[in-house]
């Protein structure tokens, strides 16, 4: 097997890698500090489309992680980039929060419920029956169906919450139309992120806490992959998958010296 080239750029998931339930993972601050001092290109990624990069910068700063806005990449940004490439200056009916609507506005999209080019489903804590009904009717009338990410549940202090993937399944059941998911594990999100920072997959690494999204997306994008055990994946679950990460480590702290 050919030896990989040295890692010149880093992509890392946020929840479960840098923070867990709103608390920074020990070593996360040192990792981000080392990245910034090294001058190497890097991105912090999230499949959550609710927040803008500025929102996430502020949330990370509150727990002591100083990540510049330009180094944050969300499924909403990836979705907007995909739509801008596919159908520039189009129209969309969007279900989601400011992270999604701002990203769509920034690429010149008009948000409308009058014969839109796309129905774009993102994350929100307040999915409404009225909005979902409108989305179903628009898709039945010919709108193309896009979803920011396939995550079926999201975390909360009270337990699991239905997320984009679950709501997309409801719409699919009602319309017979499957969405195109832009976020992880679609390698499109990773490749678009690499392009945004001028990096190449053969000299890049992806750090994540989930085999089915982070590691799979990194693998399919051609990157070296690191699985940390501070999030959702347990050690005994790794071999249940038909693919493996390049390396498994206890936490982000174990990777500081590799930057």
């Amino acid at each position: 097997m050919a030896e990989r080239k040295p890692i010149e750029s880093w992509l890392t998931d946020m929840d479960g890698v840098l923070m867990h339930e709103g608390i920074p993972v020990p070593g996360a601050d040192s990792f981000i500090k080392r990245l910034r001092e090294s001058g190497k290109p890097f991105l912090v990624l999230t499949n959550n489309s609710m927040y803008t990069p500025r929102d996430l910068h502020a949330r990370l700063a509150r727990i002591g992680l100083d990540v510049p806005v330009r180094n944050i990449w969300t499924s909403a940004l990836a979705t907007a980039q995909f739509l801008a490439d596919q159908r520039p200056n189009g129209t969309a009916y969007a279900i989601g929060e400011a992270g999604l609507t701002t990203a769509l506005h920034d690429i010149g999209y008009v948000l409308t419920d009058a014969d839109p080019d796309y129905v774009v489903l993102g994350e929100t804590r307040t999915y409404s029956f009225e909005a979902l009904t409108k989305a179903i009717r628009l898709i039945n009338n010919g709108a193309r169906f896009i979803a920011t990410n396939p995550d079926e549940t999201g975390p909360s202090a009270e337990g699991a919450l239905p997320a984009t993937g679950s709501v997309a399944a409801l719409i699919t059941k009602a319309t017979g139309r499957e969405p195109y998911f832009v976020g992880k594990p679609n390698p499109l999100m990773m490749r678009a992120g690499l392009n945004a920072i001028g990096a190449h997959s053969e000299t890049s690494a992806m750090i994540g806490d989930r085999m089915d999204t982070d590691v799979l997306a990194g693998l399919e994008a051609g990157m070296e992959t690191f699985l940390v055990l501070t999030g959702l994946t347990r050690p005994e679950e790794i071999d249940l998958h038909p693919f493996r990460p390049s390396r498994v480590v206890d936490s982000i702290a174990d990777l500081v010296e590799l930057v």
Side-chain angles (χ1 to χ4, degrees):
M1 189 175 187
E3 187 174 336
R4 290 194 63 97
K5 295 180 180 180
I7 299 169
E8 297 296 338
S9 54
W10 293 84
L11 274 61
T12 176
D13 188 38
M14 186 168 65
D15 294 308
V17 178
L18 299 179
M19 56 189 286
H20 185 69
E21 295 182 355
I23 299 170
V25 171
D29 55 345
S30 299
F31 183 78
I32 295 297
K33 185 172 184 287
R34 178 69 68 90
L35 272 178
R36 298 195 65 183
E37 289 173 347
S38 74
K40 291 180 178 178
F42 75 95
L43 283 178
V44 172
L45 298 95
T46 177
N47 252 4
N48 191 318
S49 64
M50 289 176 61
Y51 306 106
T52 68
R54 288 181 64 186
D55 296 333
L56 292 172
H57 165 77
R59 294 183 67 178
L60 290 167
R62 282 198 295 271
I63 61 171
L65 301 178
D66 188 11
V67 181
V69 172
R70 67 180 180 276
N71 295 106
I72 297 173
W73 188 247
T74 71
S75 64
L77 292 176
T79 298
Q81 182 62 61
F82 172 74
L83 294 181
D85 292 340
Q86 289 283 307
R87 192 172 291 264
N89 301 310
T91 58
Y93 177 69
I95 298 176
E97 300 289 341
L100 178 59
T101 56
T102 300
L104 291 173
H105 278 304
D106 286 348
I107 60 160
Y109 257 56
V110 173
L111 302 185
T112 179
D113 61 0
D115 193 27
D117 296 320
Y118 297 96
V119 166
V120 184
L121 178 68
E123 208 80 61
T124 176
R125 292 286 184 265
T126 56
Y127 289 111
S128 80
F129 186 78
E130 180 183 0
L132 296 178
T133 300
K134 186 167 290 186
I136 288 165
R137 290 173 180 168
L138 291 171
I139 291 168
N140 282 336
N141 287 334
R144 301 154 188 85
F145 186 17
I146 300 288
T148 57
N149 67 87
D151 299 58
E152 295 170 351
T153 60
S156 79
E158 295 78 29
L161 293 170
T164 307
S166 294
V167 180
L170 182 156
I171 295 175
T172 294
K173 196 72 173 176
T175 62
R177 299 271 295 280
E178 296 276 350
Y180 181 70
F181 292 108
V182 176
K184 299 176 293 181
N186 188 343
L188 178 76
M189 179 173 174
M190 320 298 280
R191 293 189 182 280
L194 290 172
N195 288 340
I197 58 173
H200 300 282
S201 59
E202 62 183 2
T203 56
S204 298
M206 174 65 195
I207 310 166
D209 70 308
R210 292 184 60 153
M211 289 289 291
D212 57 347
T213 56
D214 305 319
V215 171
L216 181 57
L219 177 73
E220 292 190 346
M223 292 187 281
E224 193 163 348
T225 55
F226 293 88
L227 178 74
V228 297
L229 300 176
T230 49
L232 289 176
T233 303
R234 305 268 59 84
E236 62 273 14
E237 296 171 339
I238 298 171
D239 282 338
L240 299 177
H241 296 270
F243 52 88
R244 290 185 60 83
S246 306
R247 184 173 163 189
V248 180
V249 296
D250 289 331
S251 78
I252 193 79
D254 298 308
L255 300 177
V256 175
E257 296 304 317
L258 295 184
V259 176

